[in-house]
Amino acid sequence: MPSPAKIRVAIVGLGFGSEFIPIYQNHPNAEMVAVCRRNKTELDACADKFGIAKRYTDFDAVLADPDIDAVHINSPIPDHGPQAIAALKAGKHVACTVPMATSKEDIAEIVKLQKSTGKTYMMMETVVYAREYLFAKDLYDRGELGRIQFLRGSHQQDMDGWPNYWPGLPPMWYATHCVSPCLAILSAAGKPALAESVVCHGSGRIREELIGNYGSPFALETATFKIAGTDVCAEVTRTLFDVARQYRESFDVTGAKASFEWQQVEGDDPVIHTKNSAETPRLEGQIPKRVKVPDYADRLPEGIRKFTGVIHDATHLSFVQGGGHGGSHPHLVHHFLMAALGEQPAFPDAPTSANWTLVGICAHESAMAGGTRVAIPQF
Ligand SMILES: NC(=O)c1ccc[n+]([C@@H]2O[C@H](COP(=O)([O-])OP(=O)(O)OC[C@H]3O[C@@H](n4cnc5c(N)ncnc54)[C@H](O)[C@@H]3O)[C@@H](O)[C@H]2O)c1
């Protein structure tokens, strides 16, 4: 029997954040009660559009409202850590867009507070609910890829013209989209695969006027990290400025029996390479095969299944992958609500979100130190 209980949600930050409003409004276990952004005119425009009565320009006022159970944070990156900390202290469940935070201290504090308050914390990582990831995970769990031999993630985006906190941001500070699938695919219920150490190199150089903002000179950062308790190594590549590449958010799984590659150019389907063997004889030209991936809408309550399809007023990245980052948004909302209701653990939970984010933070530290190995703090 599905639970009739409802979580009363406030969304903070209404750029990307506004894409989640209709999903909560159509979820049987959510009440979309309030929205928050600092600009009153823009706040009212958004709240009017979606028919939301409670409007806040001040984040602290959201936290002081006893009729709000959960906040979904979609504010600029530097605010994620401090806002998640304040929200947990105020006794709210927290969903927060990526990355979890930009400092090791804030990350440790969030993990500690989640544990002491018992509230749900979930980093809303889109890639691990994107249809391409769900497809690869299914293939692996069913044994069709065989043993995983290597994993590779990549996230390339041209951030010229984006708001003030972006110019010069160290590429690896926003690495969760390429790190997370590499770790999530090896995770099982209650047994997350975690990165233990990372080595990263910086390559190239961005414009001088961008370097000063964060003291980070690299056009590209490429990292390899070891996954604890396995013999698997993963490699991730990030670019943000002064690199020519269409948007790419992808990962490849290299398996002993078959490999999955999501090295997409917009509109291309992913590819499966199947090993030539006595069981599956293949001529060289028959090894790669493009595949259509399903949308996994059947995993969701009826009312929000439509959101795995095309989002019509998307202003951000969804044009690249369709349906809000591979159709991930309704899956994220559903998983978060079920976790807040105590029906299942958050995924990623606070320690896992910490590990995924810390790979990037430690990777940038490694690149700045010329490629030394950096141990990833464990919780
Ligand atoms: N695939 C993904 O997971 C994905 C995609 C896009 C954006 N994001 C993340 O979402 C976040 C927002 O991205 P965006 O492009 O909408 O950014 P944006 O700068 O356009 O919007 C940020 C919003 O937050 C509001 N805001 C800022 N400070 C606030 C405060 N103190 N209190 C309340 N509201 C505040 C702003 O008014 C604005 O509405 C970023 O952190 C970004 O990393 C994630």
Side-chain angles (χ1 to χ4, degrees), residues 12-17 36-39 59 74-77 79-80 83 97-99 124 126 162-163 165-166 174 177 249 316-317 325:
V12 179
L14 300 176
F16 176 55
C36 169
R37 74 176 286 171
R38 289 169 306 177
N39 180 306
F59 179 67
N74 290 281
S75 50
I77 290 175
D79 296 328
H80 297 177
Q83 288 187 341
T97 188
V98 301
M124 301 295 262
T126 45
W162 282 64
Y165 55 93
W166 284 104
Y174 189 142
H177 292 333
E249 192 175 288
H316 292 272
L317 311 175
H325 302 97

Side-chain angles (χ1 to χ4, degrees), residues 73-113:
I73 298 168
N74 290 281
S75 50
I77 290 175
D79 296 328
H80 297 177
Q83 288 187 341
I85 289 169
L88 285 169
K89 282 184 178 165
K92 309 294 185 195
H93 299 292
V94 176
C96 183
T97 188
V98 301
M100 186 178 200
T102 53
S103 78
K104 290 178 175 173
E105 294 73 25
D106 280 358
I107 288 172
E109 180 73 4
I110 294 168
V111 174
K112 198 175 94 191
L113 280 166

Side-chain angles (χ1 to χ4, degrees), residues 8-10 31-35 52-55 65 67-69:
R8 297 167 300 177
V9 179
E31 221 181 298
M32 184 58 246
V33 291
V35 282
I52 297 167
K54 274 198 181 188
R55 300 153 188 211
D65 184 338
D67 294 330
I68 292 170
D69 305 311

Side-chain angles (χ1 to χ4, degrees), residues 15-353:
F16 176 55
S18 66
E19 294 186 21
F20 291 88
I21 295 173
I23 306 178
Y24 284 109
Q25 286 177 322
N26 282 278
H27 195 290
N29 298 104
E31 221 181 298
M32 184 58 246
V33 291
V35 282
C36 169
R37 74 176 286 171
R38 289 169 306 177
N39 180 306
K40 176 85 172 88
T41 312
E42 302 276 0
L43 172 70
D44 284 337
C46 179
D48 287 348
K49 178 176 166 190
F50 291 105
I52 297 167
K54 274 198 181 188
R55 300 153 188 211
Y56 291 101
T57 52
D58 176 18
F59 179 67
D60 291 334
V62 175
L63 300 188
D65 184 338
D67 294 330
I68 292 170
D69 305 311
V71 291
H72 182 165
I73 298 168
N74 290 281
S75 50
I77 290 175
D79 296 328
H80 297 177
Q83 288 187 341
I85 289 169
L88 285 169
K89 282 184 178 165
K92 309 294 185 195
H93 299 292
V94 176
C96 183
T97 188
V98 301
M100 186 178 200
T102 53
S103 78
K104 290 178 175 173
E105 294 73 25
D106 280 358
I107 288 172
E109 180 73 4
I110 294 168
V111 174
K112 198 175 94 191
L113 280 166
Q114 186 284 318
K115 206 168 170 197
S116 64
T117 60
K119 294 289 166 186
T120 294
Y121 175 92
M122 179 166 148
M123 183 173 74
M124 301 295 262
E125 174 51 66
T126 45
V127 173
V128 297
Y129 291 92
R131 60 180 79 87
E132 289 81 2
Y133 169 78
L134 296 174
F135 181 71
K137 176 70 171 151
D138 253 12
L139 288 177
Y140 175 59
D141 287 349
R142 287 204 312 268
E144 292 189 22
L145 302 180
R147 185 184 210 290
I148 288 184
Q149 307 286 30
F150 180 62
L151 294 152
R152 170 176 282 149
S154 126
H155 179 195
Q156 297 191 262
Q157 185 168 13
D158 186 350
M159 299 305 285
D160 269 341
W162 282 64
N164 56 352
Y165 55 93
W166 284 104
L169 190 85
M172 281 291 171
W173 280 12
Y174 189 142
T176 62
H177 292 333
C178 47
V179 168
S180 59
C182 301
L183 292 166
I185 197 159
L186 285 165
S187 299
K191 258 193 89 194
L194 299 172
E196 60 184 18
S197 67
V198 61
V199 172
C200 182
H201 293 283
S203 182
R205 193 170 177 88
I206 54 174
R207 278 158 286 164
E208 294 308 311
E209 68 265 26
L210 301 184
I211 295 174
N213 296 341
Y214 293 91
S216 171
F218 309 120
L220 184 147
E221 289 183 325
T222 175
T224 48
F225 56 92
K226 297 271 297 166
I227 302 173
T230 75
D231 48 19
V232 181
C233 171
E235 186 269 338
V236 288
T237 307
R238 282 292 282 121
T239 61
L240 292 170
F241 294 95
D242 295 347
V243 167
R245 178 53 167 95
Q246 187 190 42
Y247 185 84
R248 169 164 71 180
E249 192 175 288
S250 79
F251 86 115
D252 301 340
V253 189
T254 304
K257 282 166 65 177
S259 300
F260 172 87
E261 290 189 2
W262 181 23
Q263 290 284 359
Q264 87 275 20
V265 164
E266 186 184 350
D268 285 357
D269 289 322
V271 176
I272 292 180
H273 294 259
T274 305
K275 188 170 177 352
N276 177 33
S277 66
E279 254 184 338
T280 54
R282 293 274 196 285
L283 296 173
E284 197 61 22
Q286 297 169 321
I287 288 174
K289 198 166 163 245
R290 291 210 179 266
V291 280
K292 290 266 172 232
V293 295
D295 65 9
Y296 297 97
D298 56 348
R299 296 183 181 181
L300 297 167
E302 216 280 323
I304 63 167
R305 287 181 186 169
K306 60 182 178 232
F307 297 105
T308 56
V310 175
I311 288 193
H312 297 289
D313 65 350
T315 50
H316 292 272
L317 311 175
S318 42
F319 71 93
V320 174
Q321 293 170 35
H325 302 97
S328 60
H329 298 179
H331 291 281
L332 283 163
V333 164
H334 181 59
H335 202 104
F336 173 63
L337 291 169
M338 292 305 103
L341 285 168
E343 302 273 331
Q344 65 188 10
F347 185 75
D349 62 8
T352 308
S353 306

